[in-house]
Amino acid sequence: MSRQLVEERPTAVDPPDRKRPMEWADLWNAFPAGTWVAAAAAVRGAVVAVTGIVATISLAVVIWAITPQSGDDATAALHAGFAALAAANLLPISIGGVAFRLSPLLLTLLLGVLLASTARRGRFRPTGRAQEAMVTLVGGGVYGLLVLVLTRGFGDEGVVAPGVGPFVVGVLGFAVGTLGRDSACRAWWRAIVPQWVTVAVRATTVGSVALFGGAAALFAVSLGLHFSSALTVGSAIAPDGLDGAGLALLSVVYLPNAVLATLGYSLGAGVHVGPGSYLPWGATPAELPGLPLLAALPTAPGPSAALAALAVPVIAAGLLGWTVVRGGLPTRQDRVLAAVTAAVMSAVVVGLAVFAAGGGVGAGRWADIGSSAPVAAAVVAVGFALVGGAVAALTAVRTVPWRLGRVSSRPAQRRPRTTRRPASAASRSAAAGAGPAVAGTEIADDDQEAVPDDEVASADEATVDGDPTDDTMDENTTDDDESADVAGDAAGIDDADASAEADTDDAHTDEIDTDDTDDADDRPTTPPASDATPPADRG
C-alpha cells in the first residue's frame, strides 16, 4: 500500500512596501457614523428652507397674478415672497418704511410640520441621545442660517431685519420630529422622572389642545354671527372677484392669529386692536382696519356671550384634572402635584403662543394688536391649578389615599391559640368510664377542662386547615416579624396535625377495647366442665 504525499505550496504574500489602493468604501468608513447623520440633518434643514422659499414665492406670485392693481412687474412679487418667508419665521420686516411685526402663523405652522416630518426620514437616522441632540441642533441651525441668508440677501434692502426667529422655528421643528415616540431621549426621560411628571406632561397636552380647540370654536361662532359684516368689509376693500381672492388668502394665513386672540379674550386678557379694547364684560370700540377677520370682534357682548367665552378655560381645566385622575397615580398628593405642574406648563405654552400671535404695525395708532401674553399665562396658571387641582384631589376620596403610610417597626400582636394536647391514660380511662357523653372531649392549654364536641370540631377546622389569616397581626409589621409569624404558624400546624393523629389513634384503640368488653358481656355464661358432667358418668 503506497501513500502519495502532496507537497504544499507556500501562499504568496505581498511585499511589505506594497500598499493596497484606497477604495470608496475605505473613504466612507473613515468617518464616524455620527458625521453622516449630522450631514444628513443639515441636508434636510436646507431642503426645508428651500421648499419654504419656493412655497412663499409661489403664493406671492399667485396673489400678484390675480390682483389687477398689483402692476405688471413680478419683481415686487418675488420680494414679497421673501418678506413673507421672513415674517413666517418670526422676523420683523419693513414695508414702505413701516415696521410690520405681525407674523402669519399658518405659514409658520406649515414650516414646522415640514421640519418635523423630515427630521427622522432618510437613510441616516439618529441612534442614541447624543445623535438625536446633534440632529436637532444641526438641522435647525442650518435651516435658520439659510433662511436668514436668503431672505436678507435676495429681498429688498432694509426689508428684513436680523433676528433669531428662524433658528427658533428650525430647532423646535426638528425637536418635535426627532424626539418622537421611539426616540432614545424620550425613553431616558420616562425612566428618570417620577410617574406624576409623565402624567403632568400628558395633562398639559390635553389642557392646551382643549384651550386652542375651544377658542377656535368660539371664533367660528362669532365670525358666523357677524358674517354679513365681514362680507361688507371685504366688498369695500376688494370689489373685484380676483381682489377678493387675494384678500381671502391673506385672511387664511392669519387665521391662527385670530384664534389665539380669541383665546386671550376668553381668558379675560382681552383683545387690543390699536386704541380699541374688547373684553368679555365690556368693550371700547374703535375704528378698525378693513379686514374681514376683525368683524368677529364683539362690540357689545351680552351675558350669554360672556359666559360662553369664560366657559372655555373652565372646561379645559376640568379636562386637565380628569386626565390627571385617569393617569393611575397611587395617591391624591401625586395627583395634585401633577395638576399644578401641568397648569404651569400650560401657562408657558399659552403665553408663548399668544405672544407669537401678537404684534403691531408701525409705532403709532396700530402698534399694539393682539392679546396680553403675561395676563393670559397668569390666568391659565392660577385657573388650571385651582380647578384641575380640585378635580384631582376630590375625585375618589374614599378609595385613593392622600399619601401612602410609612411602614411601622412595632412587634406583631398575636392572640393565644388553643391547640390539641394528647390525652393521658388517666383521662382516657375516665372518659371510658364516663360513657359516650364525654368521649369526645379535649384538654385546653390553660386549664384542664373538658371542651364540648362542637367546639372541638371548630378547633379542629381552625387548627388542621392551617389558615394563616387566623392570627391577628398588625398590618405595618416588618419583613422579619412576618417571617417569624409564618414559621410559628407552620410549627403550630404541624403540632396540631400530630395531635389530631394521636387523638384519632387513641379514639380508635378505645373503640376496639369497648367493643371487646361489650362482646364479653353479651357472651352466655357456661359452667365448668367438671360441674356439667352427669352423676351417672362419674363412677
Side-chain angles (χ1 to χ4, degrees):
M1 185 175 181
S2 61
R3 178 182 300 174
Q4 183 179 2
L5 299 177
V6 179
E7 183 179 1
E8 296 182 359
R9 297 180 180 180
T11 305
V13 180
D14 295 337
D17 56 346
R18 181 183 300 177
K19 295 183 179 180
R20 185 172 56 88
M22 181 175 290
E23 299 179 358
W24 285 105
D26 299 331
L27 182 62
W28 183 271
N29 296 327
F31 294 95
T35 305
W36 300 111
V37 172
V43 171
R44 296 190 193 102
V47 169
V48 174
V50 173
T51 304
I53 289 175
V54 172
T56 53
I57 289 178
S58 301
L59 181 62
V61 170
V62 168
I63 295 176
W64 168 80
I66 64 177
T67 306
Q69 290 81 5
S70 58
D72 298 333
D73 190 6
T75 306
L78 296 176
H79 292 164
F82 285 107
L85 179 64
N89 283 276
L90 310 180
L91 287 175
I93 61 175
S94 178
I95 301 177
V98 178
F100 187 83
R101 303 180 308 276
L102 201 60
S103 301
L105 290 186
L106 183 61
L107 297 180
T108 307
L109 292 176
L110 292 178
L111 291 173
V113 170
L114 191 59
L115 288 167
S117 61
T118 59
R120 297 184 69 91
R121 293 183 179 273
R123 178 180 177 183
F124 301 100
R125 299 181 181 180
T127 56
R129 290 179 289 162
Q131 290 190 6
E132 289 176 354
M134 179 182 61
V135 165
T136 301
L137 296 177
V138 171
V142 170
Y143 169 83
L145 182 62
L146 192 57
V147 167
L148 191 61
V149 170
L150 292 177
T151 53
R152 287 180 58 83
F154 291 92
D156 286 340
E157 184 178 359
V159 171
V160 179
V164 297
F167 297 98
V168 174
V169 174
V171 170
L172 288 179
F174 266 91
V176 171
T178 303
L179 309 178
R181 185 177 299 274
D182 300 330
S183 66
C185 290
R186 181 174 181 178
W188 170 77
W189 165 263
R190 294 175 67 91
I192 65 171
V193 300
Q195 183 184 3
W196 61 266
V197 177
T198 305
V199 175
V201 173
R202 191 182 307 120
T204 301
T205 305
V206 173
S208 301
V209 171
L211 275 179
F212 297 147
L218 192 63
F219 172 77
V221 170
S222 180
L223 185 61
L225 295 176
H226 301 85
F227 191 70
S228 59
S229 301
L231 289 179
T232 303
V233 172
S235 299
I237 297 298
D240 192 4
L242 296 178
D243 293 340
L247 185 61
L249 286 176
L250 183 64
S251 301
V252 167
V253 297
Y254 279 100
L255 270 177
N257 301 68
V259 170
L260 292 174
T262 308
L263 176 59
Y265 176 85
S266 65
L267 291 173
V271 179
H272 306 281
V273 182
S277 179
Y278 302 87
L279 296 168
W281 47 82
T284 305
E287 186 178 356
L288 300 175
L291 295 176
L293 293 179
L294 297 178
L297 289 173
T299 56
S304 58
L307 290 176
L310 297 176
V312 171
V314 176
I315 295 175
L319 291 176
L320 181 142
W322 183 248
T323 304
V324 171
V325 171
R326 297 293 300 273
L329 295 175
T331 62
R332 288 182 287 123
Q333 185 181 20
D334 291 344
R335 288 182 179 180
V336 173
L337 287 175
V340 174
T341 306
V344 174
M345 291 190 292
S346 300
V348 173
V349 172
V350 170
L352 292 176
V354 172
F355 175 78
V361 179
R365 181 180 178 87
W366 310 108
D368 185 14
I369 299 176
S371 184
S372 176
V375 175
V379 171
V380 170
V382 175
F384 276 26
L386 292 177
V387 178
V391 172
L394 300 179
T395 302
V397 176
R398 296 185 177 181
T399 58
V400 179
W402 173 252
R403 62 178 179 179
L404 297 178
R406 298 179 180 178
V407 178
S408 176
S409 59
R410 292 181 301 173
Q413 301 294 332
R414 297 175 57 89
R415 289 187 305 180
R417 57 186 305 170
T418 302
T419 58
R420 301 185 61 178
R421 180 179 298 174
S424 60
S427 301
R428 288 197 301 270
S429 60
V438 294
T441 61
E442 73 175 32
I443 306 301
D445 287 342
D446 298 334
D447 48 358
Q448 304 292 329
E449 295 179 359
V451 182
D453 290 338
D454 53 351
E455 297 184 7
V456 171
S458 62
D460 291 340
E461 294 176 359
T463 305
V464 177
D465 291 343
D467 190 1
T469 60
D470 293 337
D471 299 332
T472 302
M473 301 187 63
D474 188 47
E475 61 180 358
N476 293 326
T477 58
T478 58
D479 295 338
D480 296 337
D481 294 336
E482 292 180 357
S483 301
D485 293 339
V486 173
D489 292 341
I493 292 173
D494 295 338
D495 295 340
D497 293 339
S499 302
E501 293 177 359
D503 291 341
T504 303
D505 295 339
D506 295 340
H508 183 66
T509 303
D510 293 341
E511 184 179 359
I512 293 175
D513 296 339
T514 305
D515 293 340
D516 294 341
T517 305
D518 294 340
D519 293 341
D521 294 338
D522 295 340
R523 190 180 298 116
T525 304
T526 305
S530 59
D531 297 337
T533 304
D537 295 338
R538 290 180 183 177

